[in-house]
Amino acid sequence: MESKWKVIKTKSDAEPWWFFENWEQDIVEEWSFDNEVEAMEKYKEQILHHRSLYPNMKAKHVHSIAFWNPEEIEFCEACDDDLQLFIGLILFKDGKPAEHLPSNQLSKELHDYMTNR
């Protein structure tokens, strides 16, 4: 059976790996693929694009990356405080965050993009 892949972009006051209740409401873009190579290429493309736009980046697990600019904040009335806004990228496989990437050159490149600042 073929796997279904998605790359999801979020904008939220929480990093993308938290998956708080109703996190789906933070989705601003989504791409679907039938094969891992196309999905990983899109993920890589989005990582490079957002690394060029945001001074800060943190990866948690292989499937989630947060980008942010310290000056991009939003006031929270409920907590009476300013909250950092994050752009999140998440790689999904079969409806779940992709826990492992296959061992190939593209996976190595993704790892390098996520860890090299």
Side-chain angles (χ1 to χ4, degrees):
M1 183 169 122
E2 284 283 317
S3 295
K4 299 292 183 187
W5 293 80
K6 282 188 180 184
V7 175
I8 294 176
K9 178 180 169 181
T10 60
K11 185 172 184 178
S12 173
D13 59 14
E15 292 97 335
W17 46 84
W18 288 114
F19 298 107
F20 291 128
E21 185 176 343
N22 299 321
W23 72 270
E24 293 93 346
Q25 294 175 359
D26 297 332
I27 296 173
V28 293
E29 284 188 86
E30 179 175 325
W31 301 270
S32 297
F33 304 93
D34 290 325
N35 72 67
E36 71 185 34
V37 173
E38 290 177 359
M40 290 180 17
E41 284 288 350
K42 177 54 102 174
Y43 193 49
K44 175 181 150 185
E45 170 192 301
Q46 289 296 306
I47 291 168
L48 292 174
H49 174 72
H50 288 87
R51 282 187 70 181
S52 72
L53 298 175
Y54 292 91
N56 298 299
M57 178 189 97
K58 181 179 180 184
K60 181 130 180 174
H61 312 291
V62 69
H63 57 69
S64 300
I65 304 174
F67 299 90
W68 71 96
N69 180 336
E71 297 171 8
E72 203 171 323
I73 56 173
E74 183 175 82
F75 184 73
C76 168
E77 289 188 32
C79 54
D80 193 33
D81 201 4
D82 289 330
L83 300 177
Q84 180 66 57
L85 288 178
F86 298 96
I87 295 297
L89 295 176
I90 313 164
L91 180 64
F92 274 82
K93 178 182 177 185
D94 296 328
K96 298 177 187 171
E99 293 295 329
H100 305 283
L101 296 179
S103 290
N104 60 30
Q105 182 58 34
L106 185 54
S107 296
K108 182 185 177 326
E109 288 175 20
L110 276 173
H111 182 266
D112 290 347
Y113 291 132
M114 290 166 50
T115 57
N116 293 335
R117 306 271 191 276

